[in-house]
Amino acid sequence: MSAAGIRGKVRLSKAKPDHDRCFLSPFESLSLSLNGFFLRDDFLGQAVCSRVRSEVVRKVNSQSLRQAGIGREQKVDTSIRGDQFCWMEKSEAGPGIRELMSHLELLRKSINREFYLGLDRFEMQLAHFAPGSGGYKKHLDAFKGRNPRNRRLTTIYYLNRGWQHGDGGELSIDLKGQDVFIEPVADRLVVFFAEQLEHAVLPNQKSRLALTSWFHSP
Ligand code: OGA
Ligand code: NI
């Protein structure tokens, strides 16, 4: 390598890291553009993940969740959708969930930069599938095709420590007719284009917790 090349390298490594720009790895960007999704393990690290989990468990135990419905009328049909949910507001969130929200902010900026989506906000929902629930049948998180009110990007952060094969509750994503199964293990983040990918949650044997966020553009 030429001296100029080496000097260039040194200068680069001394540069202040631009976290917004580095947030997506090249592999994640590629997977998002080719497949419409990617997943990242160890998203927040064990300590922060445990904190998020205890905040979420406290919320579930406070009886503030309600049975999820489907469609515009939010009709309850547990054979289609079996979770209980509540919205998470930043103003009421504990330090763990606020940390998750600030990481999702970095993700938002980074995806905007690479994919020109103009995402400007997200809303977060806590979902709890009690043991023995029937999961959530195949669906799209957005209206079909472009719609100004659409959710454009979905992220799901899982909180299930010690998840084992047989516990169920896998996320199944339909990738061009082929289902890909994703285990809902603690500290895993799944990211996908909400208008593109149909997905389902398989029935679960053990309690299943997740924080789902939907990103919008104006
Ligand atoms: C949803 C959903 C998937 C999951 O809430 O719309 O599809 O893995 N959740 O929790
Ligand atoms: Ni969904």
Side-chain angles (χ1 to χ4, degrees):
M1 189 186 280
S2 73
I6 291 167
R7 271 205 300 279
K9 216 172 181 185
V10 171
R11 227 178 286 134
L12 253 186
S13 67
K14 279 189 174 165
K16 210 166 141 254
D18 176 348
H19 289 294
D20 289 3
R21 202 170 286 280
C22 317
F23 201 79
L24 280 191
S25 74
F27 184 75
E28 290 167 343
S29 298
L30 192 66
S31 179
L32 192 54
S33 56
L34 291 181
N35 303 315
F37 93 102
F38 72 87
L39 69 79
R40 189 190 296 183
D41 284 329
D42 307 316
F43 185 59
L44 299 177
Q46 216 179 334
V48 181
C49 179
S50 297
R51 187 174 270 194
V52 176
R53 194 187 142 81
S54 35
E55 290 167 16
V56 160
V57 168
R58 206 173 313 134
K59 189 85 185 170
V60 171
N61 291 340
S62 73
Q63 314 281 328
S64 35
L65 276 58
R66 65 174 191 275
Q67 195 66 41
I70 36 180
R72 274 180 229 277
E73 273 106 56
Q74 288 294 292
K75 199 166 127 315
V76 170
D77 182 342
T78 53
S79 69
I80 297 178
R81 178 171 183 183
D83 59 316
Q84 281 104 40
F85 81 102
C86 70
W87 294 103
M88 304 299 292
E89 301 300 336
K90 193 171 183 181
S91 55
E92 298 167 15
I97 292 172
R98 282 207 306 273
E99 177 92 20
L100 171 62
M101 287 174 168
S102 58
H103 274 70
L104 293 177
E105 259 306 293
L106 288 178
L107 180 76
R108 180 183 73 77
K109 289 183 187 157
S110 194
I111 288 180
N112 277 346
R113 213 170 257 138
E114 291 192 40
F115 292 86
Y116 307 104
L117 289 185
L119 305 172
D120 66 343
R121 65 193 188 282
F122 64 86
E123 53 193 350
M124 184 183 279
Q125 195 172 86
L126 158 59
H128 176 231
F129 289 86
S133 102
Y136 190 170
K137 295 284 183 294
K138 192 180 267 194
H139 65 279
L140 206 57
D141 284 353
F143 301 108
K144 276 218 191 304
R146 282 292 291 126
N147 181 303
R149 300 208 339 271
N150 262 359
R151 296 162 167 175
R152 307 214 52 206
L153 185 89
T154 301
T155 68
I156 310 171
Y157 180 67
Y158 295 110
L159 292 158
N160 308 297
R161 273 199 309 237
W163 186 93
Q164 288 186 329
H165 197 70
D167 291 347
E170 292 90 344
L171 169 69
S172 151
I173 296 186
D174 182 340
L175 269 193
K176 299 168 191 134
Q178 182 120 20
D179 288 333
V180 173
F181 299 100
I182 297 172
E183 298 159 355
V185 301
D187 210 19
R188 169 173 284 176
L189 185 81
V190 177
V191 179
F192 59 89
F193 288 133
E195 293 158 303
Q196 270 182 33
L197 292 190
E198 289 197 312
H199 54 281
V201 177
L202 302 191
N204 55 306
Q205 307 308 321
K206 286 229 295 242
S207 178
R208 179 197 197 269
L209 290 168
L211 287 167
T212 302
S213 303
W214 291 288
F215 292 70
H216 296 260
S217 56

Short mmCIF file of all heavy atoms in Angstrom, two decimals, residues 10-22:
data_model
loop_
_atom_site.label_atom_id
_atom_site.label_comp_id
_atom_site.label_asym_id
_atom_site.label_seq_id
_atom_site.Cartn_x
_atom_site.Cartn_y
_atom_site.Cartn_z
N VAL A 10 -4.95 6.00 8.55
CA VAL A 10 -4.76 6.52 9.91
C VAL A 10 -5.74 7.65 10.16
O VAL A 10 -6.42 7.69 11.18
CB VAL A 10 -3.29 6.99 10.11
CG1 VAL A 10 -3.17 7.72 11.44
CG2 VAL A 10 -2.36 5.81 10.05
N ARG A 11 -5.84 8.52 9.18
CA ARG A 11 -6.75 9.65 9.36
C ARG A 11 -8.19 9.17 9.57
O ARG A 11 -8.89 9.67 10.43
CB ARG A 11 -6.66 10.57 8.14
CG ARG A 11 -6.52 12.03 8.54
CD ARG A 11 -6.39 12.91 7.33
NE ARG A 11 -5.09 12.83 6.69
CZ ARG A 11 -4.90 12.70 5.39
NH1 ARG A 11 -5.91 12.61 4.56
NH2 ARG A 11 -3.70 12.62 4.88
N LEU A 12 -8.55 8.15 8.78
CA LEU A 12 -9.92 7.63 8.91
C LEU A 12 -10.19 7.09 10.31
O LEU A 12 -11.21 7.37 10.91
CB LEU A 12 -10.10 6.48 7.92
CG LEU A 12 -10.95 6.74 6.70
CD1 LEU A 12 -11.13 5.45 5.93
CD2 LEU A 12 -12.30 7.32 7.08
N SER A 13 -9.24 6.29 10.85
CA SER A 13 -9.50 5.67 12.15
C SER A 13 -9.52 6.70 13.27
O SER A 13 -10.04 6.44 14.34
CB SER A 13 -8.45 4.59 12.43
OG SER A 13 -7.21 5.22 12.60
N LYS A 14 -8.90 7.87 13.01
CA LYS A 14 -8.93 8.90 14.06
C LYS A 14 -10.21 9.73 14.00
O LYS A 14 -10.51 10.48 14.91
CB LYS A 14 -7.71 9.83 13.89
CG LYS A 14 -6.45 9.22 14.50
CD LYS A 14 -5.36 10.25 14.50
CE LYS A 14 -4.16 9.73 15.24
NZ LYS A 14 -2.98 10.57 14.96
N ALA A 15 -10.91 9.61 12.87
CA ALA A 15 -12.12 10.43 12.72
C ALA A 15 -13.15 10.05 13.78
O ALA A 15 -13.24 8.89 14.17
CB ALA A 15 -12.70 10.20 11.33
N LYS A 16 -13.90 11.04 14.22
CA LYS A 16 -14.95 10.77 15.19
C LYS A 16 -15.99 9.86 14.52
O LYS A 16 -16.42 10.15 13.41
CB LYS A 16 -15.60 12.11 15.56
CG LYS A 16 -16.14 12.14 16.96
CD LYS A 16 -16.43 13.59 17.33
CE LYS A 16 -17.69 13.64 18.12
NZ LYS A 16 -18.83 14.15 17.43
N PRO A 17 -16.35 8.75 15.15
CA PRO A 17 -17.33 7.89 14.46
C PRO A 17 -18.68 8.60 14.31
O PRO A 17 -19.11 9.28 15.22
CB PRO A 17 -17.45 6.67 15.38
CG PRO A 17 -16.83 7.03 16.66
CD PRO A 17 -15.97 8.24 16.47
N ASP A 18 -19.25 8.44 13.13
CA ASP A 18 -20.56 9.01 12.88
C ASP A 18 -21.58 7.90 13.11
O ASP A 18 -21.80 7.05 12.26
CB ASP A 18 -20.60 9.52 11.43
CG ASP A 18 -21.97 10.05 11.06
OD1 ASP A 18 -22.93 9.82 11.83
OD2 ASP A 18 -22.10 10.68 10.01
N HIS A 19 -22.16 7.89 14.32
CA HIS A 19 -22.99 6.75 14.69
C HIS A 19 -24.23 6.62 13.81
O HIS A 19 -24.67 5.52 13.51
CB HIS A 19 -23.39 6.84 16.17
CG HIS A 19 -22.23 6.57 17.06
ND1 HIS A 19 -21.63 5.35 17.13
CD2 HIS A 19 -21.54 7.38 17.90
CE1 HIS A 19 -20.62 5.40 17.97
NE2 HIS A 19 -20.54 6.62 18.46
N ASP A 20 -24.78 7.76 13.36
CA ASP A 20 -25.96 7.67 12.50
C ASP A 20 -25.62 6.91 11.24
O ASP A 20 -26.35 6.07 10.77
CB ASP A 20 -26.42 9.06 12.06
CG ASP A 20 -27.04 9.82 13.20
OD1 ASP A 20 -27.03 9.27 14.31
OD2 ASP A 20 -27.49 10.94 12.99
N ARG A 21 -24.44 7.24 10.70
CA ARG A 21 -24.05 6.65 9.44
C ARG A 21 -23.66 5.18 9.58
O ARG A 21 -23.92 4.37 8.71
CB ARG A 21 -22.87 7.44 8.85
CG ARG A 21 -22.72 7.29 7.37
CD ARG A 21 -21.72 8.25 6.82
NE ARG A 21 -22.21 9.62 6.78
CZ ARG A 21 -23.00 10.07 5.82
NH1 ARG A 21 -23.39 9.29 4.86
NH2 ARG A 21 -23.42 11.31 5.83
N CYS A 22 -23.03 4.84 10.72
CA CYS A 22 -22.54 3.45 10.87
C CYS A 22 -23.61 2.53 11.41
O CYS A 22 -23.33 1.37 11.67
CB CYS A 22 -21.40 3.35 11.88
SG CYS A 22 -20.16 4.57 11.82
#
